[in-house]
Amino acid sequence: MISNSLISRMKQARCIAVLTGSGISAESGIPTFRGKQGLWKQYRPQELASNAGFINDPELVWEWYAMRREIIGSVSCNTGHKALARMEDFVPEFWLITQNVDGLHQQAGSKNVLELHGNIMRNRCTVCGAVSPDTSSGSSKGLPTCPCGGLLRPDVVWFGESLPADSLHLAFKASKKCDVFLCIGTSAEVQPAASLPIIAKESGAWVVEINTETTAVTSHVDESFNKPAGQMLPGLVKAVWGS
Ligand code: BV8
Ligand code: ZN
C-alpha cells in the first residue's frame, strides 16, 4: 500500500535519486547475480568479473560475457524501467544511478543514467584504452582485438577496479542532495554503490526500498515494499503523478 506521506513527499520532491541493481532487469528475463538462479551460482565472480580472472583465462571470461550479451540482446526493458523513464519527466532534478551493465534503462527512455559499473555492450582495449561498441556479438572465433593489436575486454568495472570517477562523484552528490532516494532491485552487497542509500539517509532523504527480499539496507530505510519492481513502479508513478 503506497502511503499518502510517500505520495506527497515524491510530489513535492525537487530532487529524486534512484539506485537500481539487477533485480529491476529480472522481469525482463535477465538472471540476477546472487539469487537462486543467479549468475554467480554457476560461476565465481572473482574468476569471471575480475582482471586476474581475465588474464588467467580470457577465453572463459569472453565466453561468459558473450553468453550474457546474447541474453541481453534477446530481451527488452520492462514496466519497471519504463516507469522510471516516466518519473524522470515529472521531477525537476532526477538521477538514475545503476549498477546494471545491460543498458535497459536507456532502452526504456531514461536520459540521465549514471552507469557505475560500465556497459556490457561496449568493448575497451586493454592496451590503448579505446572504447568501441561491441560488433562481434561474441560469436567471432578467437579473442577480439583492437586495431592497435591489443586484446579487447568488456567495458565493465570488475571487482578490485575503481568505478568511473565522474559517475561516482555525481552519484554521491545526488545521494546527498536528494529529497527522496529509491533503492530498487539490489542486494546492496557491492561497494561503493551499496553505501549510496545510507549516505542519502544520513543526508536527510526519505529512503524507500523496492525488493522482493530483505537486504543489507532494509533495516536502514524509511519504507520498504516487498514487491517486484515491474509491478510496484507503474502504480507508484500513477499514484504520485496520475499517469
Ligand atoms: C572497488 C560489473 C576499490 C561486471 C560488478 C569487503 C568489504 C566491502 C567491499 C569489498 C570487500 N572486498 C572487496 C570489496 C570491494 C568490492 C565489493 O564490494 N565486494 C563485495 C562483493 C564484498 N567492490 C569492488 O571491487 C568495486 N571496486 O571497490 O574498487 C578500489 C578503490 C580504489 C582503487 C582501486 C580499487 C567494484 C565493484 C563492481 C563489480 N562489478 N558488475 C559484470 O556485471 O560482469 S558487480 C555486480 O554486482 C553487478 O554490477 C551488480 O549490479 C552488482 C550488485 O549486485 P545486484 O545488482 O544487487 O544483484 P544481486 O543479484 O546481488 O541482487 C539482486 C536483488 O534484486 C536481490 O536483492 C533480489 O531480491 C532483488 N530482486 C530480484 N527480482 C526482483 C528484485 N527486486 C525487485 N523486483 C524484482 N523483480
Ligand atoms: Zn587498442
Side-chain angles (χ1 to χ4, degrees):
M1 175 59 190
I2 300 166
S3 63
N4 288 331
S5 73
L6 177 59
I7 290 172
S8 59
R9 282 178 195 280
M10 290 187 73
K11 212 177 268 185
Q12 287 151 29
R14 305 247 352 105
C15 176
I16 292 183
V18 179
L19 173 69
T20 61
S22 62
I24 194 161
S25 296
E27 289 157 273
S28 293
I30 299 179
T32 60
F33 287 89
R34 295 165 186 85
K36 291 176 249 337
Q37 293 77 27
L39 284 168
W40 297 143
K41 278 286 151 297
Q42 307 108 290
Y43 309 95
R44 284 168 39 75
Q46 282 74 0
E47 271 153 41
L48 293 169
S50 72
N51 200 37
F54 183 64
I55 292 169
N56 179 42
D57 192 344
E59 283 82 2
L60 175 66
V61 173
W62 264 117
E63 212 178 289
W64 189 56
Y65 280 93
M67 179 272 286
R68 288 173 61 193
R69 280 178 172 171
E70 209 136 308
I71 296 172
I72 292 168
S74 67
V75 303
S76 323
C77 57
N78 63 55
T79 50
H81 297 107
K82 289 175 191 161
L84 290 177
R86 282 206 309 282
M87 195 183 288
E88 183 172 19
D89 295 337
F90 291 119
V91 182
E93 188 177 346
F94 185 84
W95 295 92
L96 179 47
I97 307 159
T98 190
Q99 300 169 87
N100 298 344
V101 296
D102 58 28
L104 292 186
H105 284 303
Q106 294 90 326
Q107 193 192 92
S110 289
K111 296 177 275 300
N112 182 14
V113 181
L114 298 175
E115 290 181 315
L116 294 186
H117 296 163
N119 187 305
I120 199 170
M121 293 314 196
R122 291 192 304 258
N123 292 329
R124 176 160 27 105
C125 177
T126 55
V127 172
C128 72
V131 173
S132 54
D134 163 57
T135 49
S136 67
S137 70
S139 54
S140 57
K141 285 282 152 277
L143 294 170
T145 51
C146 171
C148 84
L151 177 58
L152 292 180
R153 57 169 280 179
D155 188 26
V156 297
V157 179
W158 281 331
F159 286 103
E161 295 183 329
S162 334
L163 279 60
D166 47 351
S167 298
L168 185 58
H169 170 72
L170 288 170
F172 279 127
K173 215 172 113 198
S175 302
K176 287 179 190 143
K177 169 177 191 184
C178 64
D179 306 302
V180 175
F181 187 99
L182 304 181
C183 190
I184 305 171
T186 180
S187 59
E189 287 180 17
V190 174
Q191 295 296 348
S195 59
L196 296 174
I198 307 300
I199 290 169
K201 177 85 186 119
E202 286 166 357
S203 308
W206 188 257
V207 183
V208 179
E209 182 177 38
I210 298 173
N211 197 309
T212 44
E213 293 167 356
T214 51
T215 69
V217 291
T218 306
S219 58
H220 299 273
V221 303
D222 296 294
E223 286 184 80
S224 68
F225 294 96
N226 204 332
K227 279 227 177 108
Q231 289 173 27
M232 177 77 207
L233 285 167
L236 180 62
V237 172
K238 190 159 174 62
V240 178
W241 292 288
S243 92

